[in-house]
Amino acid sequence: MSEHKPLRVLVYSDDRDVRAAVLSALGSRPHPDLPRFEYVECATEPVVFQHLDGGTIDLVVLDGEATPAGGLGIARQMKDEIFRAPPVLVLTGRPQDAWLATWSRAEAALPHPIEPIRLAEVVIDLARGVLQPAD
């Protein structure tokens, strides 16, 4: 996969510990079949949309528990407003909140606390989808 440019992954949370946990769980290359990951960390909603509007983000991880703007609302807005929005993983407050991720139109959801192996599995699947040629 060395012929592919790095995948740009936006990680949003107002909590730096959540962002650090995501980056630590995924590392720079979560699977040998994937290109290297390049992270864009965001702590505020305006910065998230600034990066998304630039069109250079391949995959998004949003903290549904972030304040004042939660990742679920950001996911929904992004799917409404951005043509061909990148795939989204939302981190929910608890497993029972998965229905909110469906409402937000996120492609995947995982509950807090972050389970590194499960997070990597889900992100790897989303990243493979990004690399598939469009039909």
Side-chain angles (χ1 to χ4, degrees):
M1 285 284 160
S2 59
E3 71 274 4
H4 287 284
K5 64 181 174 79
L7 286 177
R8 296 203 59 195
V9 179
L10 184 143
V11 179
Y12 165 73
S13 179
D14 66 319
D15 183 340
R16 84 174 104 194
D17 292 335
V18 171
R19 294 191 311 268
V22 170
L23 272 58
S24 176
L26 298 175
S28 63
R29 194 170 192 166
H31 194 278
D33 292 343
L34 294 174
R36 190 172 54 80
F37 279 18
E38 189 176 276
Y39 295 100
V40 176
E41 292 184 63
C42 300
T44 65
E45 177 186 25
V47 175
V48 168
F49 281 101
Q50 179 182 24
H51 285 287
L52 290 171
D53 289 343
T56 61
I57 301 299
D58 298 304
L59 195 141
V60 179
V61 178
L62 301 172
D63 182 1
E65 299 301 297
T67 58
L72 294 158
I74 291 174
R76 175 99 179 182
Q77 181 178 349
M78 153 187 173
K79 295 297 182 173
D80 284 344
E81 297 178 359
I82 298 174
F83 181 66
R84 293 188 181 156
V88 175
L89 164 63
V90 176
L91 302 171
T92 61
R94 55 199 182 128
Q96 297 88 341
D97 293 336
W99 71 271
L100 289 167
T102 301
W103 167 84
S104 76
R105 291 190 252 151
E107 282 76 7
L110 290 173
H112 281 285
I114 293 170
E115 294 180 28
I117 292 173
R118 186 69 185 122
L119 177 68
E121 290 171 346
V122 171
V123 170
I124 288 167
D125 284 344
L126 291 173
R128 286 185 175 141
V130 168
L131 296 173
Q132 296 299 320
D135 292 339

